[in-house]
Amino acid sequence: SADVTPQIVEWPQKRVDLIFKINEGPKSGVLRVNFLGNKAFSDNDLRDVVVTEQSHWYKFFSSNANYDPDRLEYDKEQLRKYYRNRGYYDFRVASAVAELSPDKNGFVITYTIDEGPEYRFGKISVETDLKKLDKNVLLALVPLHRGDIYQDQQIEQATDALTFAAGAAGFAFVDVRPHYTPNRAKGTVDVTFDVKEGPRVYVDRIDIVGNTQTLDYVIRREMNVSEGDAYNRVLVDRSKNQIKALGYFKDVDITELPGSAPDRTALQVKVTEQPTGELSFSAGYSSIDQLVVDLGITQRNFRGRGEDVSARVSVGSFRKQVNLSFTEPRFLGRDLQAGYDAYYYNYDLSQFQAYKQSTVGTGVRLNFPLSLNSRGMLRYTIRDDNVTIDPTFCDPANLTVSPALCDQRGSFLTSLVGYGYRLDRRNDAINPTRGFFFELNQDFAGFGGNVKYVQTDVNGGWYHGFNKTFKLSVSGSAGDIEAWGGDHVRINNRFYKGGDSFRGFQIAGIGPRDLNFQDAQSGSLGGKIYAIGSVELTVPNFLPEQYGIKTLLFSDFGTLGVLDKFDKNRIDTTTGLPQADPNIKDDLGLRASAGLSVQWKSPMGPIRFDFSQILKKETYDQTETFRFSTSTRF
């Protein structure tokens, strides 16, 4: 409804002022988005596909609820992608018409579409004249099968797979072109991939722009191509994912620019910095600690060099913790991640389990690549654990605590050597929608010191995004710790689960428990074996994306238990001999919870609310129905 009126004001000496008088009028909203010709999908389904949104009073932050003629062309392409990825090879948008309402307060947009029939893949073949490439081997790499629903996206994935395979075979310049032969009578599309050697192009230069804090070399070392190398699109795409995986940038884009010659190209890596420091604060209340205050500071890109530095202090009525950590991602200039950790813990549990414990330790670690998607880890840790108990409690003439607890008095030095393996096939390390990861860690204590055990941990996850709103993830972890050489697993080395690791239960809320102290978290005895799984589904909350609010439905399930036999004993007051205490429960029973998690990227930092409902528990477990956490970034 804008109206522009030019006005001319004449002045002496043949001069004039040119004035544009602008009457903007109200913004032209979108009253309705209609679709004609759609049968396979409803209007509501297609409204979720197009970017243009219908104007509503609550969409005052949305920039897509106003009429923009250029946006209609983008919407037509989005509709084409949507249908072509669901079998509709002949789909086309016949027209996209915007009609202004008589009162000029908005537009009614109508897309007229021709869906056509649904197609499936027919014959899939690969043709090439390159002698070093075997057509049968290439065909086996194509993720298409006869009879599957036709999808453009799968053809793009097949093209990438063939391009990568040709590059691995030494053909840096390869041109993979799919050719389509539709058979409308059978409802199939035959696809032939023609693999030819393409024109040779070299990388002239690589420009890094947008990095206001991160140093250039931190970004360049993640590039799989260098200046002067042969251009390879697969390597460029992989470089983009590796830069995104650093977590330092909100957006990463690599574009090709004309080089100094026809066979040269320049790569421009454009990044948008985001906060990499995090100042976290949390406060809570528990029956053992009363008020607990947790303060942490982390900088994942220290001085713009990619170094990771963190410090955390946790103070409660009965515990104090201090953790310091430093990680150098490129030790000695190589793809070798080195780190150093130091920590101090102090637990005063004398009011509940008659002992105090302090731990001071330090360790070093190395992380190195094994293959394209896997890494190995080596580490060494040495720590001193000191457990003190009032001597009168362990007087043989008048024992008042378990003899197993008395056996754990004193200072114990743990010298631990460990290794790990991680396989990561996720499509995005920050926000995955496809792929999986698997991790194995094993630690051996006993190479020096006086503590001997073997601890094994495994964890993994699988991710699948159905669309931009629905995302499913399935993850799990399991662990086992066993003593050797006549030793036993001490209470401070066992597994404790709950809180963030098992929603719906307090920290150390599940597993073996001494019911003589059932009103305190110190009644938890930990366990030697655990297995926990989690299923999460991201669901729509009908709020604009710019609010930064994400909602997830979740279910956690698993178990924790198994104690050494003498850890379940108490001294019989009549015989003076140890016997099984019925108040020490060690049931390796199933626990399960379900609930809603709300995550908000607020201006103050990420905030998370967990609302849980217990589905299965033991009578002695400690539960919680609500959990809150927050942190702020800088």
Side-chain angles (χ1 to χ4, degrees), residues 516-538:
N516 294 298
F517 310 99
Q518 59 182 341
D519 295 328
Q521 279 184 311
S522 60
S524 175
L525 299 176
K528 298 198 302 179
I529 296 175
Y530 79 93
I532 297 175
S534 180
V535 178
E536 289 187 342
L537 178 65
T538 305

Side-chain angles (χ1 to χ4, degrees), residues 205-209 253-257 266-270:
R205 68 181 189 277
I206 299 176
D207 300 326
I208 311 293
V209 297
D253 188 35
I254 301 180
T255 56
E256 301 173 31
L257 301 176
L267 298 179
Q268 184 186 76
V269 183
K270 185 178 181 180

Side-chain angles (χ1 to χ4, degrees), residues 376-526:
M377 293 153 275
L378 294 174
R379 53 186 168 268
Y380 175 75
T381 301
I382 185 169
R383 71 171 187 262
D384 180 71
D385 299 301
N386 189 23
V387 177
T388 58
I389 303 176
D390 190 323
T392 60
F393 294 165
C394 294
D395 186 351
N398 186 25
L399 277 173
T400 57
V401 297
S402 168
L405 186 58
C406 291
D407 290 342
Q408 300 188 47
R409 290 179 299 169
S411 180
F412 300 94
L413 183 65
T414 302
S415 177
L416 182 147
V417 177
Y419 72 92
Y421 170 79
R422 182 180 178 88
L423 174 65
D424 195 339
R425 299 293 299 273
R426 296 175 295 175
N427 64 342
D428 191 316
I430 305 299
N431 186 25
T433 57
R434 287 288 191 278
F436 67 93
F437 80 93
F438 170 80
E439 187 170 0
L440 166 68
N441 288 284
Q442 196 164 48
D443 296 293
F444 300 87
F447 296 92
N450 47 17
V451 176
K452 298 178 180 180
Y453 65 79
V454 178
Q455 178 177 330
T456 305
D457 295 89
V458 295
N459 65 85
W462 174 83
Y463 305 86
H464 184 82
F466 299 100
N467 54 39
K468 64 180 181 181
T469 303
F470 287 96
K471 300 176 184 178
L472 175 68
S473 67
V474 181
S475 59
S477 61
D480 174 72
I481 182 169
E482 299 292 342
W484 64 279
D487 202 358
H488 66 278
V489 180
R490 292 171 174 79
I491 192 170
N492 57 297
N493 292 325
R494 300 170 191 160
F495 299 113
Y496 295 86
K497 296 298 178 180
D500 290 334
S501 62
F502 203 133
R503 288 163 290 192
F505 295 88
Q506 295 181 13
I507 296 175
I510 68 171
R513 187 169 296 274
D514 189 340
L515 299 188
N516 294 298
F517 310 99
Q518 59 182 341
D519 295 328
Q521 279 184 311
S522 60
S524 175
L525 299 176

Side-chain angles (χ1 to χ4, degrees), residues 75-277:
D75 287 343
K76 290 165 66 175
E77 178 61 19
Q78 292 300 102
L79 288 169
R80 190 193 71 83
K81 289 182 178 179
Y82 183 80
Y83 269 92
R84 296 263 300 192
N85 281 323
R86 285 158 179 79
Y88 293 88
Y89 177 81
D90 290 335
F91 173 82
R92 67 185 184 92
V93 179
S95 65
V97 179
E99 297 177 305
L100 184 62
S101 64
D103 55 5
K104 295 186 178 181
N105 67 339
F107 284 83
V108 176
I109 298 175
T110 303
Y111 297 93
T112 304
I113 62 179
D114 181 10
E115 291 182 335
E118 185 183 69
Y119 284 81
R120 296 180 177 271
F121 283 117
K123 181 181 179 182
I124 309 297
S125 59
V126 176
E127 297 294 337
T128 181
D129 294 330
L130 302 178
K131 296 181 180 180
K132 292 184 179 180
L133 297 180
D134 189 330
K135 292 190 294 184
N136 295 325
V137 174
L138 294 178
L139 183 60
L141 299 174
V142 175
L144 306 179
H145 301 90
R146 182 191 291 265
D148 289 350
I149 296 294
Y150 174 86
Q151 295 183 43
D152 273 356
Q153 185 177 5
Q154 285 193 343
I155 294 178
E156 293 175 4
Q157 293 174 356
T159 302
D160 289 342
L162 293 175
T163 302
F164 179 79
F171 293 93
F173 312 95
V174 67
D175 183 21
V176 180
R177 293 183 180 272
H179 299 284
Y180 308 91
T181 306
N183 188 327
R184 290 173 173 79
K186 296 182 179 180
T188 61
V189 178
D190 297 338
V191 182
T192 300
F193 294 92
D194 191 6
V195 182
K196 296 181 179 180
E197 191 168 12
R200 294 182 175 272
V201 179
Y202 297 90
V203 178
D204 198 7
R205 68 181 189 277
I206 299 176
D207 300 326
I208 311 293
V209 297
N211 52 321
T212 56
Q213 177 184 349
T214 307
L215 300 180
D216 266 30
Y217 77 86
V218 175
I219 301 173
R220 289 182 182 273
R221 68 192 183 189
E222 300 298 327
M223 297 290 294
N224 293 116
V225 294
S226 302
E227 292 163 340
D229 286 354
Y231 174 79
N232 189 309
R233 185 170 62 88
V234 173
L235 295 181
V236 172
D237 290 343
R238 187 184 302 158
S239 301
K240 177 180 177 180
N241 289 334
Q242 290 179 183
I243 296 173
K244 288 177 62 178
L246 292 174
Y248 308 156
F249 309 109
K250 184 185 300 183
D251 295 307
V252 178
D253 188 35
I254 301 180
T255 56
E256 301 173 31
L257 301 176
S260 58
D263 63 342
R264 300 280 176 170
T265 184
L267 298 179
Q268 184 186 76
V269 183
K270 185 178 181 180
V271 298
T272 303
E273 297 267 11
Q274 68 177 357
T276 55

Side-chain angles (χ1 to χ4, degrees), residues 215 275 299 301 331 336 353 364 366 506:
L215 300 180
Q299 175 54 265
N301 189 14
F331 186 57
L336 181 66
Q353 280 196 326
V364 293
L366 290 175
Q506 295 181 13

